[in-house]
């Protein structure tokens, strides 16, 4: 199997993550890795006190299109924190991408 690029976008809130993930998957031929969560120390100062990481996998071109669509969708809701595209993640990075905090208390 050829190595796939990964696109990562952090958004405010779980609803925004689902909308962003849906928009990205509709815009390009990508798959989703499990969402991840982060509740930063300054959570009460944020628009929504939970940051969700949405991770897309596919070709660099598809991942780029997915992240752009996800960003547009997120900005129409609670907003985006950051985004990044990794064209060819190394094995250790690839392993970390599968981790998620949503199934933990």
């Amino acid at each position: 199997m050829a190595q796939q690029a990964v696109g990562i976008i952090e958004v405010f809130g779980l609803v925004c993550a689902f909308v962003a993930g849906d928009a990205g998957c509709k815009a390009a031929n990508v798959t989703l890795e499990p969402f991840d969560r982060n509740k930063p120390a300054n959570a009460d100062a944020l628009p929504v006190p939970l940051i969700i990481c949405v991770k897309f996998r596919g070709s660099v071109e598809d991942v780029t299109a997915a992240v752009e669509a996800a960003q547009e969708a997120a900005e129409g809701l609670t907003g985006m924190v950051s985004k990044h595209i990794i064209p060819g993640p190394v094995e250790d990075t690839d392993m970390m991408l599968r981790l998620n905090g949503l199934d933990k208390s």
Side-chain angles (χ1 to χ4, degrees), residues 25-76:
C25 287
K26 288 177 178 172
N29 184 23
V30 293
T31 58
L32 287 172
E33 292 285 337
F35 289 172
D36 202 357
R37 70 181 170 122
N38 179 21
K39 186 171 183 180
N42 68 338
D44 292 336
L46 299 174
V48 176
L50 184 65
I51 296 172
I52 303 292
C53 182
V54 180
K55 301 169 274 187
F56 299 101
R57 298 302 299 257
S59 70
V60 173
E61 296 80 15
D62 284 329
V63 164
T64 300
V67 168
E68 289 172 3
Q71 178 179 355
E72 185 176 332
E75 288 173 346

Side-chain angles (χ1 to χ4, degrees), residues 82-99:
S82 66
K83 66 178 181 176
H84 193 76
I85 295 170
I86 304 171
V90 296
E91 186 176 331
D92 290 341
T93 301
D94 202 49
M95 192 171 62
M96 293 297 293
L97 290 167
R98 292 186 184 90
L99 298 177

